[in-house]
Structures are given as C-alpha cells and as structure tokens.
Amino acid sequence: VLVHNAGYGRPVYHGTDSESAASILKDGLKGWSDAVKQFDGDDKGFSMTTNLETAKQWAEARAKLRGGCPVVV
C-alpha cells in the first residue's frame, strides 16, 4: 500500500486494479483522463478516500471489472 498525506492530517488511498496501479506508480497520473474513459470511469476527477476499507472495496470492484488483482495506492 502506497499512501500520500495530502495535507488532510491522515493518509489518502485510491483503490484500483494491478495494471492501473503499475501505471500510476510508473507514470503518475499522466494520461489518467484517457485511461478512465477507456474503462467507463469518471473523467471529472480521480477518486481518493481517507478510509482504507472503502479503497479496498473499490479495488476489488475495479479488479473484477478490469481483470488483474485489487491494489490500493
């Protein structure tokens, strides 16, 4: 689990599939708009949560939809 403290005083998390997580770790969020459109995501933003369990649930859903393993970054 990779977390970043964005000034909220606590970590924030993003749940996704393993391929998307690898892309985020390699390239950051460069090109995220194209990626979310490919998978019918919300191109208005990048979802994050301060709740680890919510991120894990989201990761499970994304991995089930897209394939791969669930990952929280």
Coordinates of all heavy atoms in Angstrom, one line a residue:
V1 N 0.9 -1.2 0.0 CA 0.0 0.0 0.0 C 0.9 1.2 0.0 O 1.7 1.4 0.9 CB -0.9 0.0 1.2 CG1 -1.7 1.3 1.3 CG2 -1.8 -1.2 1.2
L2 N 0.7 2.1 -1.0 CA 1.4 3.3 -1.1 C 0.4 4.4 -0.7 O -0.7 4.5 -1.2 CB 1.9 3.6 -2.5 CG 2.5 5.0 -2.8 CD1 3.8 5.1 -2.1 CD2 2.6 5.1 -4.3
V3 N 0.8 5.3 0.2 CA -0.1 6.3 0.6 C 0.6 7.7 0.6 O 1.8 7.7 0.6 CB -0.7 6.1 2.1 CG1 -1.5 4.9 2.1 CG2 0.4 6.1 3.1
H4 N -0.2 8.7 0.4 CA 0.4 10.1 0.3 C -0.5 10.9 1.3 O -1.7 11.0 1.1 CB 0.3 10.6 -1.1 CG 0.7 12.0 -1.2 ND1 2.0 12.4 -1.0 CD2 0.0 13.1 -1.4 CE1 2.0 13.8 -1.1 NE2 0.8 14.2 -1.4
N5 N 0.2 11.7 2.1 CA -0.6 12.6 3.0 C -0.7 13.9 2.3 O 0.2 14.6 2.1 CB 0.2 12.8 4.3 CG -0.6 13.6 5.3 OD1 -1.4 14.4 4.9 ND2 -0.3 13.4 6.6
A6 N -2.0 14.2 1.9 CA -2.2 15.4 1.1 C -2.7 16.5 1.9 O -3.5 17.3 1.5 CB -3.3 15.0 0.0
G7 N -2.2 16.6 3.1 CA -2.5 17.8 4.0 C -3.8 17.6 4.7 O -4.3 18.5 5.4
Y8 N -4.3 16.4 4.7 CA -5.5 16.1 5.4 C -5.2 15.6 6.9 O -6.1 15.4 7.6 CB -6.3 14.9 4.8 CG -6.8 15.3 3.4 CD1 -6.3 14.7 2.3 CD2 -7.9 16.2 3.2 CE1 -6.7 15.0 1.0 CE2 -8.3 16.5 2.0 CZ -7.8 15.9 0.8 OH -8.2 16.2 -0.4
G9 N -4.0 15.5 7.2 CA -3.6 15.1 8.5 C -3.7 13.5 8.7 O -3.5 13.0 9.7
R10 N -4.0 12.9 7.6 CA -4.1 11.4 7.6 C -3.9 10.9 6.1 O -4.0 11.7 5.2 CB -5.4 10.9 8.1 CG -6.6 11.5 7.4 CD -7.9 11.1 8.1 NE -8.9 11.9 7.5 CZ -10.1 12.1 8.1 NH1 -10.3 11.7 9.3 NH2 -11.0 12.8 7.5
P11 N -3.5 9.7 5.9 CA -3.3 9.2 4.5 C -4.6 9.2 3.7 O -5.7 9.1 4.2 CB -2.8 7.7 4.8 CG -2.4 7.7 6.2 CD -3.2 8.7 6.9
V12 N -4.4 9.3 2.4 CA -5.5 9.1 1.5 C -5.1 7.9 0.6 O -4.0 7.6 0.4 CB -5.7 10.3 0.6 CG1 -6.3 11.5 1.4 CG2 -4.5 10.8 -0.1
Y13 N -6.1 7.2 0.1 CA -6.0 5.9 -0.6 C -6.8 6.0 -2.0 O -7.8 6.7 -2.0 CB -6.5 4.7 0.2 CG -5.9 4.7 1.6 CD1 -6.6 5.2 2.7 CD2 -4.7 4.0 1.8 CE1 -6.1 5.1 3.9 CE2 -4.2 3.9 3.1 CZ -4.9 4.5 4.1 OH -4.4 4.4 5.4
H14 N -6.3 5.2 -2.9 CA -7.0 5.0 -4.2 C -7.1 3.5 -4.5 O -6.0 2.9 -4.6 CB -6.3 5.8 -5.3 CG -6.8 5.5 -6.7 ND1 -8.0 6.1 -7.1 CD2 -6.4 4.8 -7.7 CE1 -8.3 5.7 -8.3 NE2 -7.3 4.9 -8.7
G15 N -8.3 3.0 -4.7 CA -8.4 1.6 -5.0 C -8.5 1.4 -6.5 O -9.3 2.1 -7.1
T16 N -7.8 0.4 -7.0 CA -7.7 0.2 -8.4 C -7.3 -1.2 -8.7 O -7.1 -2.1 -7.8 CB -6.8 1.2 -9.1 OG1 -7.0 1.2 -10.5 CG2 -5.4 1.0 -8.8
D17 N -7.1 -1.6 -10.0 CA -6.6 -2.9 -10.4 C -5.1 -2.8 -10.6 O -4.5 -1.7 -10.6 CB -7.2 -3.3 -11.8 CG -6.9 -2.3 -12.9 OD1 -7.5 -1.3 -13.0 OD2 -5.9 -2.6 -13.6
S18 N -4.5 -4.0 -10.7 CA -3.0 -4.1 -10.6 C -2.3 -3.4 -11.9 O -1.3 -2.7 -11.7 CB -2.5 -5.5 -10.5 OG -3.2 -6.3 -11.5
E19 N -2.9 -3.5 -13.0 CA -2.4 -2.8 -14.2 C -2.4 -1.3 -14.1 O -1.4 -0.6 -14.3 CB -3.1 -3.2 -15.5 CG -2.5 -2.7 -16.7 CD -3.2 -3.2 -18.0 OE1 -3.9 -4.2 -18.0 OE2 -2.9 -2.5 -19.0
S20 N -3.5 -0.8 -13.6 CA -3.6 0.6 -13.4 C -2.7 1.1 -12.3 O -2.1 2.2 -12.4 CB -5.1 1.0 -13.0 OG -5.9 0.7 -14.1
A21 N -2.6 0.3 -11.2 CA -1.6 0.7 -10.1 C -0.2 0.8 -10.6 O 0.5 1.7 -10.3 CB -1.8 -0.3 -9.0
A22 N 0.2 -0.2 -11.5 CA 1.5 -0.2 -12.0 C 1.7 1.1 -12.9 O 2.8 1.7 -12.8 CB 1.8 -1.4 -12.9
S23 N 0.7 1.5 -13.6 CA 0.8 2.7 -14.5 C 1.0 3.9 -13.6 O 1.8 4.8 -13.9 CB -0.4 2.8 -15.4 OG -0.4 4.0 -16.0
I24 N 0.2 4.0 -12.5 CA 0.3 5.1 -11.6 C 1.6 5.2 -11.0 O 2.2 6.3 -10.9 CB -0.8 5.0 -10.5 CG1 -2.2 5.2 -11.1 CG2 -0.6 6.0 -9.4 CD1 -3.4 4.8 -10.2
L25 N 2.2 4.1 -10.5 CA 3.5 4.1 -9.9 C 4.6 4.4 -10.9 O 5.6 5.1 -10.5 CB 3.8 2.7 -9.2 CG 2.9 2.4 -8.0 CD1 3.1 1.0 -7.6 CD2 3.1 3.4 -6.9
K26 N 4.4 4.0 -12.1 CA 5.4 4.3 -13.2 C 5.3 5.7 -13.7 O 6.3 6.4 -13.8 CB 5.3 3.3 -14.3 CG 6.3 3.5 -15.4 CD 6.1 2.4 -16.5 CE 7.0 2.6 -17.7 NZ 6.4 3.5 -18.7
D27 N 4.1 6.1 -14.1 CA 4.0 7.4 -14.8 C 3.2 8.5 -14.0 O 2.9 9.6 -14.5 CB 3.2 7.1 -16.1 CG 3.9 6.2 -17.0 OD1 5.1 6.3 -17.1 OD2 3.2 5.4 -17.6
G28 N 2.8 8.2 -12.8 CA 2.0 9.1 -12.1 C 0.6 9.2 -12.7 O 0.1 8.2 -13.2
L29 N 0.0 10.3 -12.6 CA -1.4 10.4 -13.2 C -1.4 11.0 -14.6 O -2.5 11.3 -15.1 CB -2.2 11.3 -12.3 CG -2.4 10.7 -10.9 CD1 -3.3 11.7 -10.0 CD2 -3.1 9.4 -10.9
K30 N -0.2 11.0 -15.3 CA -0.2 11.4 -16.6 C -1.0 10.5 -17.5 O -0.9 9.3 -17.5 CB 1.3 11.4 -17.1 CG 1.5 11.8 -18.5 CD 3.0 11.9 -18.8 CE 3.6 10.5 -18.8 NZ 5.0 10.4 -19.2
G31 N -2.0 11.1 -18.2 CA -2.8 10.3 -19.1 C -4.0 9.6 -18.4 O -4.7 8.8 -19.0
W32 N -4.3 10.0 -17.2 CA -5.4 9.4 -16.4 C -6.7 9.6 -17.1 O -7.6 8.7 -17.1 CB -5.4 9.8 -15.0 CG -5.9 11.2 -14.7 CD1 -5.1 12.3 -14.7 CD2 -7.2 11.7 -14.6 NE1 -5.8 13.4 -14.5 CE2 -7.1 13.1 -14.4 CE3 -8.4 11.0 -14.6 CZ2 -8.3 13.9 -14.3 CZ3 -9.6 11.8 -14.4 CH2 -9.5 13.2 -14.3
S33 N -6.9 10.7 -17.7 CA -8.2 11.0 -18.4 C -8.5 10.0 -19.5 O -9.6 9.5 -19.6 CB -8.2 12.5 -18.9 OG -9.4 12.8 -19.5
D34 N -7.5 9.7 -20.3 CA -7.7 8.7 -21.3 C -8.0 7.3 -20.7 O -8.8 6.6 -21.2 CB -6.5 8.6 -22.2 CG -6.3 9.9 -23.1 OD1 -7.3 10.6 -23.3 OD2 -5.2 10.2 -23.5
A35 N -7.3 7.0 -19.7 CA -7.4 5.7 -19.0 C -8.8 5.5 -18.4 O -9.5 4.5 -18.6 CB -6.4 5.5 -17.9
V36 N -9.4 6.6 -17.8 CA -10.7 6.4 -17.2 C -11.8 6.3 -18.2 O -12.7 5.6 -18.1 CB -11.0 7.5 -16.1 CG1 -10.1 7.4 -14.9 CG2 -11.0 8.9 -16.7
K37 N -11.6 7.0 -19.3 CA -12.6 6.9 -20.4 C -12.6 5.5 -21.0 O -13.6 5.0 -21.4 CB -12.2 7.9 -21.5 CG -12.5 9.4 -21.1 CD -12.1 10.3 -22.2 CE -12.2 11.7 -21.7 NZ -11.7 12.7 -22.6
Q38 N -11.4 4.9 -21.1 CA -11.3 3.5 -21.6 C -12.1 2.5 -20.8 O -12.7 1.6 -21.3 CB -9.9 3.1 -21.7 CG -9.7 1.7 -22.1 CD -8.2 1.2 -22.1 OE1 -7.3 2.0 -21.8 NE2 -8.0 0.0 -22.3
F39 N -12.2 2.8 -19.5 CA -12.9 1.9 -18.6 C -14.2 2.4 -18.0 O -14.7 2.1 -17.0 CB -12.0 1.5 -17.4 CG -10.8 0.6 -17.9 CD1 -9.5 1.2 -17.9 CD2 -11.0 -0.7 -18.3 CE1 -8.4 0.4 -18.3 CE2 -9.9 -1.4 -18.7 CZ -8.6 -0.9 -18.7
D40 N -14.8 3.4 -18.8 CA -16.1 4.0 -18.3 C -16.0 4.6 -17.0 O -16.9 4.6 -16.2 CB -17.2 3.0 -18.4 CG -17.5 2.5 -19.8 OD1 -17.4 3.2 -20.7 OD2 -17.7 1.3 -19.9
G41 N -14.9 5.2 -16.6 CA -14.7 5.9 -15.4 C -15.2 7.3 -15.4 O -15.7 7.8 -16.4
D42 N -15.0 8.0 -14.3 CA -15.4 9.4 -14.2 C -14.3 10.3 -14.6 O -13.3 10.4 -13.9 CB -15.9 9.7 -12.8 CG -16.4 11.1 -12.6 OD1 -16.3 11.9 -13.6 OD2 -16.8 11.5 -11.5
D43 N -14.3 10.9 -15.8 CA -13.2 11.7 -16.3 C -13.2 13.1 -15.6 O -12.3 13.9 -16.0 CB -13.2 11.8 -17.8 CG -14.4 12.5 -18.4 OD1 -15.3 12.8 -17.6 OD2 -14.3 12.8 -19.6
K44 N -14.0 13.4 -14.7 CA -14.1 14.6 -14.0 C -13.1 14.7 -12.8 O -12.9 15.7 -12.2 CB -15.5 15.0 -13.5 CG -16.5 15.1 -14.7 CD -17.9 15.4 -14.1 CE -18.9 15.4 -15.2 NZ -19.3 14.1 -15.6
G45 N -12.6 13.5 -12.4 CA -11.7 13.5 -11.2 C -11.1 12.2 -11.0 O -11.4 11.2 -11.7
F46 N -10.3 12.2 -10.0 CA -9.6 11.0 -9.6 C -10.0 10.7 -8.2 O -9.7 11.5 -7.3 CB -8.1 11.3 -9.7 CG -7.2 10.1 -9.3 CD1 -6.9 9.1 -10.2 CD2 -6.6 10.1 -8.0 CE1 -6.0 8.1 -9.8 CE2 -5.8 9.0 -7.7 CZ -5.5 8.1 -8.6
S47 N -10.7 9.6 -7.9 CA -11.2 9.3 -6.6 C -10.2 8.8 -5.6 O -9.4 8.0 -5.9 CB -12.4 8.3 -6.7 OG -11.9 7.1 -7.2
M48 N -10.3 9.4 -4.4 CA -9.4 9.0 -3.3 C -10.3 9.0 -2.0 O -11.4 9.7 -2.0 CB -8.3 9.9 -3.1 CG -7.4 9.9 -4.3 SD -5.8 10.9 -4.2 CE -6.1 12.2 -3.1
T49 N -9.9 8.3 -1.0 CA -10.6 8.3 0.2 C -9.6 8.2 1.4 O -8.5 7.7 1.2 CB -11.6 7.1 0.3 OG1 -12.3 7.1 1.5 CG2 -10.8 5.7 0.1
T50 N -10.1 8.7 2.5 CA -9.2 8.5 3.7 C -9.6 7.2 4.4 O -8.9 6.9 5.4 CB -9.5 9.7 4.7 OG1 -10.9 9.8 5.0 CG2 -9.0 11.0 4.1
N51 N -10.5 6.4 3.9 CA -10.9 5.2 4.5 C -10.3 4.0 3.8 O -10.7 3.8 2.6 CB -12.5 5.1 4.5 CG -13.0 3.9 5.2 OD1 -12.7 2.8 4.9 ND2 -13.8 4.1 6.2
L52 N -9.4 3.3 4.4 CA -8.7 2.2 3.7 C -9.7 1.1 3.3 O -9.5 0.5 2.2 CB -7.6 1.6 4.7 CG -6.8 0.5 4.1 CD1 -6.1 0.8 2.8 CD2 -5.8 0.0 5.2
E53 N -10.7 0.8 4.1 CA -11.7 -0.2 3.7 C -12.4 0.1 2.5 O -12.7 -0.7 1.7 CB -12.6 -0.6 4.9 CG -11.9 -1.3 6.1 CD -11.1 -2.5 5.6 OE1 -11.7 -3.4 4.9 OE2 -10.0 -2.7 6.0
T54 N -12.8 1.4 2.4 CA -13.5 1.9 1.2 C -12.6 1.7 -0.1 O -13.1 1.2 -1.1 CB -13.9 3.3 1.3 OG1 -14.8 3.4 2.4 CG2 -14.6 3.9 0.1
A55 N -11.3 2.0 0.1 CA -10.4 1.9 -1.0 C -10.2 0.4 -1.4 O -10.2 0.0 -2.6 CB -9.0 2.5 -0.7
K56 N -10.2 -0.5 -0.4 CA -10.1 -1.9 -0.7 C -11.3 -2.4 -1.4 O -11.2 -3.2 -2.4 CB -9.9 -2.7 0.6 CG -8.5 -2.5 1.2 CD -8.5 -3.3 2.6 CE -7.1 -3.2 3.2 NZ -7.1 -3.9 4.5
Q57 N -12.5 -2.0 -1.0 CA -13.7 -2.4 -1.7 C -13.7 -1.9 -3.2 O -14.1 -2.6 -4.1 CB -14.9 -1.9 -1.0 CG -15.1 -2.6 0.4 CD -16.2 -1.9 1.2 OE1 -16.8 -0.9 0.8 NE2 -16.4 -2.4 2.4
W58 N -13.3 -0.7 -3.4 CA -13.2 -0.1 -4.7 C -12.2 -0.9 -5.6 O -12.5 -1.2 -6.7 CB -12.9 1.4 -4.6 CG -13.0 2.1 -5.9 CD1 -12.0 2.5 -6.8 CD2 -14.2 2.4 -6.6 NE1 -12.5 3.1 -7.9 CE2 -13.8 3.1 -7.8 CE3 -15.6 2.3 -6.3 CZ2 -14.8 3.5 -8.7 CZ3 -16.5 2.8 -7.2 CH2 -16.1 3.4 -8.4
A59 N -11.1 -1.3 -5.0 CA -10.1 -2.0 -5.7 C -10.6 -3.4 -6.1 O -10.4 -3.8 -7.2 CB -8.8 -2.2 -4.8
E60 N -11.4 -4.0 -5.2 CA -12.0 -5.3 -5.5 C -12.9 -5.2 -6.7 O -12.9 -6.0 -7.7 CB -12.8 -5.9 -4.3 CG -11.9 -6.3 -3.2 CD -11.2 -7.7 -3.5 OE1 -11.6 -8.4 -4.4 OE2 -10.2 -7.9 -2.7
A61 N -13.7 -4.1 -6.7 CA -14.7 -3.9 -7.8 C -14.0 -3.6 -9.1 O -14.4 -4.1 -10.2 CB -15.6 -2.7 -7.5
R62 N -12.9 -2.8 -9.1 CA -12.2 -2.5 -10.3 C -11.5 -3.7 -10.9 O -11.5 -3.9 -12.1 CB -11.1 -1.4 -10.0 CG -11.8 0.0 -9.8 CD -12.3 0.5 -11.1 NE -13.6 1.0 -10.9 CZ -14.5 1.3 -11.9 NH1 -14.2 1.1 -13.1 NH2 -15.7 1.8 -11.6
A63 N -10.9 -4.5 -10.0 CA -10.2 -5.7 -10.5 C -11.2 -6.7 -11.1 O -10.9 -7.4 -12.1 CB -9.4 -6.3 -9.3
K64 N -12.3 -6.8 -10.5 CA -13.3 -7.7 -11.0 C -13.8 -7.2 -12.4 O -14.0 -8.0 -13.3 CB -14.5 -7.8 -10.1 CG -15.6 -8.7 -10.5 CD -16.7 -8.8 -9.5 CE -17.8 -9.8 -9.9 NZ -18.8 -9.9 -8.9
L65 N -13.9 -5.9 -12.6 CA -14.4 -5.4 -13.8 C -13.3 -5.5 -14.9 O -13.5 -5.8 -16.1 CB -14.8 -3.9 -13.6 CG -15.2 -3.1 -14.9 CD1 -16.5 -3.7 -15.5 CD2 -15.4 -1.7 -14.6
R66 N -12.1 -5.1 -14.5 CA -11.0 -5.0 -15.5 C -10.0 -6.2 -15.6 O -9.2 -6.3 -16.5 CB -10.1 -3.8 -15.1 CG -10.9 -2.5 -15.1 CD -10.0 -1.4 -14.6 NE -10.7 -0.1 -14.6 CZ -10.3 1.0 -13.9 NH1 -9.2 0.9 -13.2 NH2 -11.0 2.1 -14.0
G67 N -10.1 -7.1 -14.6 CA -9.1 -8.1 -14.5 C -7.9 -7.7 -13.7 O -7.9 -6.6 -13.2
G68 N -7.1 -8.6 -13.4 CA -5.9 -8.3 -12.5 C -6.3 -8.5 -11.1 O -7.3 -9.0 -10.7
C69 N -5.4 -8.0 -10.3 CA -5.6 -8.1 -8.8 C -6.0 -6.7 -8.3 O -5.6 -5.7 -8.8 CB -4.3 -8.5 -8.2 SG -3.7 -10.1 -8.7
P70 N -6.7 -6.7 -7.1 CA -7.0 -5.4 -6.5 C -5.8 -4.8 -5.8 O -5.0 -5.6 -5.2 CB -8.1 -5.8 -5.5 CG -7.9 -7.3 -5.2 CD -7.3 -7.9 -6.5
V71 N -5.6 -3.5 -6.0 CA -4.5 -2.8 -5.4 C -5.0 -1.5 -4.8 O -5.8 -0.8 -5.4 CB -3.4 -2.6 -6.4 CG1 -2.2 -1.8 -5.8 CG2 -2.9 -3.9 -7.0
V72 N -4.4 -1.1 -3.7 CA -4.7 0.2 -3.1 C -3.4 1.0 -3.1 O -2.3 0.5 -2.7 CB -5.2 0.1 -1.6 CG1 -5.3 1.4 -1.0 CG2 -6.5 -0.6 -1.6
V73 N -3.4 2.1 -3.7 CA -2.2 3.0 -3.8 C -2.5 4.3 -3.0 O -3.7 4.6 -2.8 CB -1.8 3.4 -5.2 CG1 -1.3 2.1 -5.9 CG2 -2.9 4.0 -6.0

